[in-house]
Amino acid sequence: MKSTRILSEGAMISAVTIAVVMMDSLCGGMITMAFPWVYAFPILVFSARRGLRAGALTMFASVLLAFFFTAWTTQYFLFFALLAGLIYGTLVHHESENIWKLLVLFVITTFSNLISMVLLAAVFGYDVSQDLAMYAEVLHFFDANGIALHLHAVTLLYFFAVLLSFLQTISIHAGASVLLRKMQIKNKKMKNMLQIKAPRSLGIFIMVIWVLYFAQSMLKLNADTRSVLQLCALCTVAAAVVYGIITALGWLTLRSGCRFLVVGCMLLAFVPIVNLFFALLGEADLLLHLRQRMLRGVIHETFRKF
């Protein structure tokens, strides 16, 4: 009886997945282009309930059925989305910590995005080097010396690939947490904004990268080293901005709780000059543990004095 129930649930999950794929075909591939990670949720829920073996069989059936209804480019994104959902759901089934779920999602989405940007582009005759040359021409207006413009463009390409993977990881993790809670499937709770911790060593590492980046004109570095340093600087700024936003949202939530201020704070993070303030705030939080001080203030009822 139990095996029959598992097979029935797996068949239903495969049907739901194929229904989403067919909806994508009717919409001209909009789901695959904009939100390919939504394919992960059906198999994620099923593997969270039934484990790796049943989830892998359902994933295989879904991929096999997709060959009859969609193009192979969609099958590529479908495969990696199902793989991410399968492994994430398996980790939920075994009650693993959230950090491992996030790490697995980030690795899979990063690998998928990099392969699609390079390998699939070459298969369809899309020359990435032409776009890089165009980016180099645009960057020429911002760099009068014309130093390693092509490497600057490559740095931006990899940075946006990593940033896209990070956003997809957060989207899947947040959506899965809500969906699993609604379906009453046991899962590790997400920490609130004051409980999300990071080691002080990360703040020190970010500070070292920033110092090296601003001192690169005084250091004798070759073009490849400068390109890697720029990529590291962009990634560390993005990480600092994230922690700055979390710190600001935590402070606003405790001080006022006004939703308009919270939404306004999130919108300000996209303003070019203002987001540097969030980067500095995030760096201060990493070095001084500002959110832990807020949390202690809440516990000891001294936050208003903070």
Side-chain angles (χ1 to χ4, degrees), residues 105-136:
L105 287 178
F106 182 74
V107 170
I108 294 176
T109 53
T110 301
F111 180 78
S112 173
N113 289 328
L114 290 177
I115 292 297
S116 63
M117 286 182 177
V118 179
L119 181 60
L120 292 184
V123 170
F124 288 97
Y126 178 75
D127 192 359
V128 180
S129 61
Q130 293 181 357
D131 275 0
L132 293 178
M134 181 185 66
Y135 296 151

Side-chain angles (χ1 to χ4, degrees), residues 5-250:
R5 182 181 181 88
I6 293 175
L7 287 175
S8 300
E9 290 180 2
M12 182 181 65
I13 292 300
S14 296
V16 171
T17 302
I18 298 303
V20 178
V21 170
M22 295 181 66
M23 186 183 303
D24 174 69
S25 300
L26 295 175
C27 296
M30 292 181 60
I31 297 177
T32 300
M33 290 186 294
F35 312 105
W37 40 269
V38 300
Y39 297 128
F41 290 120
I43 191 70
L44 188 154
V45 173
F46 180 71
S47 57
R49 284 171 53 87
R50 300 303 181 182
L52 176 62
R53 185 177 179 180
L57 180 62
T58 303
M59 174 184 169
F60 175 77
S62 300
V63 173
L64 189 63
L65 288 173
F67 278 101
F68 300 98
F69 296 101
T70 185
W72 75 276
T73 52
T74 303
Q75 295 166 12
Y76 169 83
F77 292 102
L78 175 65
F79 172 79
F80 279 102
L82 292 177
L83 180 62
L86 172 65
I87 299 179
Y88 187 100
T90 303
L91 292 175
V92 172
H93 183 75
H94 292 287
E95 301 183 5
S96 300
E97 296 294 333
N98 287 330
I99 184 63
W100 296 110
K101 303 173 192 174
L102 291 170
L103 181 60
V104 167
L105 287 178
F106 182 74
V107 170
I108 294 176
T109 53
T110 301
F111 180 78
S112 173
N113 289 328
L114 290 177
I115 292 297
S116 63
M117 286 182 177
V118 179
L119 181 60
L120 292 184
V123 170
F124 288 97
Y126 178 75
D127 192 359
V128 180
S129 61
Q130 293 181 357
D131 275 0
L132 293 178
M134 181 185 66
Y135 296 151
E137 293 179 0
V138 174
L139 291 173
H140 180 71
F141 294 100
F142 301 96
D143 192 346
N145 297 323
I147 300 175
L149 292 177
H150 182 78
L151 292 176
H152 293 344
V154 173
T155 300
L156 289 176
L157 175 66
Y158 286 113
F159 169 72
F160 284 117
V162 173
L163 180 62
L164 177 62
S165 302
F166 173 76
L167 294 176
Q168 289 178 347
T169 298
I170 296 301
S171 299
I172 296 175
H173 181 63
S177 298
V178 174
L179 189 60
L180 293 173
R181 185 174 67 251
K182 292 295 184 180
M183 300 190 68
Q184 298 182 353
I185 298 176
K186 188 177 181 181
N187 185 30
K188 295 284 186 179
K189 292 184 179 180
M190 294 178 61
K191 296 180 180 180
N192 60 42
M193 290 178 289
L194 298 181
Q195 293 175 330
I196 300 175
K197 298 180 181 180
R200 181 170 293 174
S201 57
L202 177 60
I204 297 175
F205 173 77
I206 292 176
M207 181 64 68
V208 171
I209 293 296
W210 289 357
V211 171
L212 291 176
Y213 176 76
F214 287 111
Q216 62 179 324
S217 59
M218 297 181 292
L219 302 175
K220 295 182 179 180
L221 303 176
N222 56 37
D224 293 335
T225 304
R226 294 182 63 179
S227 178
V228 173
L229 182 60
Q230 289 172 357
L231 178 61
C232 292
L234 288 173
C235 293
T236 53
V237 168
V241 168
V242 170
Y243 280 102
I245 294 173
I246 293 174
T247 303
L249 291 178

Side-chain angles (χ1 to χ4, degrees), residues 159 163 166-167 234 237-249 252 260-282:
F159 169 72
L163 180 62
F166 173 76
L167 294 176
L234 288 173
V237 168
V241 168
V242 170
Y243 280 102
I245 294 173
I246 293 174
T247 303
L249 291 178
L252 288 175
F260 294 102
L261 291 178
V262 173
V263 174
C265 177
M266 297 177 65
L267 294 177
L268 287 175
F270 295 94
V271 179
I273 303 299
V274 179
N275 53 22
L276 295 179
F277 166 77
F278 285 104
L280 295 176
L281 180 61

